[in-house]
């Protein structure tokens, strides 16, 4: 009898093991560590109740303000500045560490706000943060994290092209990066709108 040869089967990859992107995970850890650092800085900063000139105090008061000007500046313009900084990092061969730095700055900002509300306002501050600030902050952070992952990946390709002599096709990655820039911008604007709606819905029930 003639034996039939079966084509060799390719080994199955463990899809579960590749479900978590290591780059995205490390960026998320950097953001969380920034949040922790920001909250730990709260007790040592010169907070004042009557409009002091400290930068951190002004930033937090802007973050918890319901005025549309403050929501625009802190909820849209500040994250957009980080977004454009990340986009600039993608064109550099040494941009990967700066992607982590930008996310750490965003994390410190988020941690300062949450730490201030809990440290100085107790339970009411924690509830205020949960009802009004948390979901917009999560949406904004998610947009920055996903875009930072793309920027770090493109920056790594540029690094290999410039310093290691490995020629990479950069046209398609940059087109995807430009597309993700539009998506991240839309998510940031949506987070600011959600924040304003949360103020309108819950500010009459809880204030700090």
């Amino acid at each position: 009898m003639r034996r039939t040869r079966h084509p060799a089967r390719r080994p199955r990859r463990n899809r579960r093991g590749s479900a978590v992107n290591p780059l995205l995970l490390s960026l998320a850890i950097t953001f969380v560590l920034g949040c922790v650092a920001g909250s730990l800085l709260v007790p040592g900063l010169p907070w004042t109740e009557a409009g002091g000139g400290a930068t951190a105090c002004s930033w937090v008061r802007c973050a918890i303000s319901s005025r549309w000007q403050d929501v625009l500046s802190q909820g849209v313009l500040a994250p957009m500045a980080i977004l454009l900084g990340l986009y600039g990092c993608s064109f550099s061969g040494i941009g990967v560490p700066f992607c982590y730095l930008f996310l750490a700055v965003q994390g410190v900002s988020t941690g300062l706000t949450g730490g201030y509300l809990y440290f100085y306002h107790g339970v009411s501050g924690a509830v205020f943060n949960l009802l009004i600030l948390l979901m917009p902050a999560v949406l904004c952070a998610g947009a920055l994290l996903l875009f930072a992952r793309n920027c770090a990946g493109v920056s790594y390709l540029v690094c290999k092209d410039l310093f290691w002599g490995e020629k990479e096709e950069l046209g398609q990655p940059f087109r995807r990066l430009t597309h993700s820039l539009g998506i991240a911008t839309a998510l940031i604007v949506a987070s600011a709108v959600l924040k304003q709606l949360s103020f309108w819905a819950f500010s009459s029930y809880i204030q700090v």
Side-chain angles (χ1 to χ4, degrees), residues 87 91 147 150 154 169-183:
Y87 188 63
F91 292 90
F147 187 68
N150 295 334
V154 174
E169 176 59 38
L170 299 176
Q172 186 66 23
F174 272 111
R175 283 192 291 270
R176 288 198 300 265
L177 185 65
T178 303
H179 178 68
S180 64
L181 175 63
I183 296 176

Side-chain angles (χ1 to χ4, degrees), residues 87-135:
Y87 188 63
C89 290
S90 63
F91 292 90
S92 172
I94 56 174
V96 175
F98 293 96
C99 293
Y100 286 89
L101 178 61
F102 279 119
L103 282 181
V105 170
Q106 180 68 17
V108 169
S109 168
T110 305
L112 277 175
T113 304
Y116 170 83
L117 288 171
Y118 180 76
F119 190 81
Y120 285 98
H121 298 279
V123 176
S124 63
V127 174
F128 181 89
N129 190 22
L130 178 65
L131 293 179
I132 297 178
L133 302 182
L134 181 60
M135 288 306 298

Side-chain angles (χ1 to χ4, degrees), residues 1 3 14 35-36 40 47 50 67 71 83 90 94 107 124 132 136 143 161 164-165 168-169 176 181 189 197:
M1 294 178 64
R3 294 182 179 179
N14 187 1
C35 291
V36 173
L40 293 177
W47 305 100
R67 297 192 312 162
V71 174
L83 199 70
S90 63
I94 56 174
S124 63
I132 297 178
D161 185 64
W164 299 345
E168 300 285 344
E169 176 59 38
R176 288 198 300 265
L181 175 63
V189 173
L197 293 176

Side-chain angles (χ1 to χ4, degrees), residues 146-168:
L146 293 176
F147 187 68
R149 179 197 62 181
N150 295 334
C151 291
V154 174
S155 177
Y156 177 68
L157 294 178
V158 174
C159 177
K160 291 202 301 183
D161 185 64
L162 290 178
F163 302 116
W164 299 345
E166 298 182 12
K167 298 301 179 182
E168 300 285 344

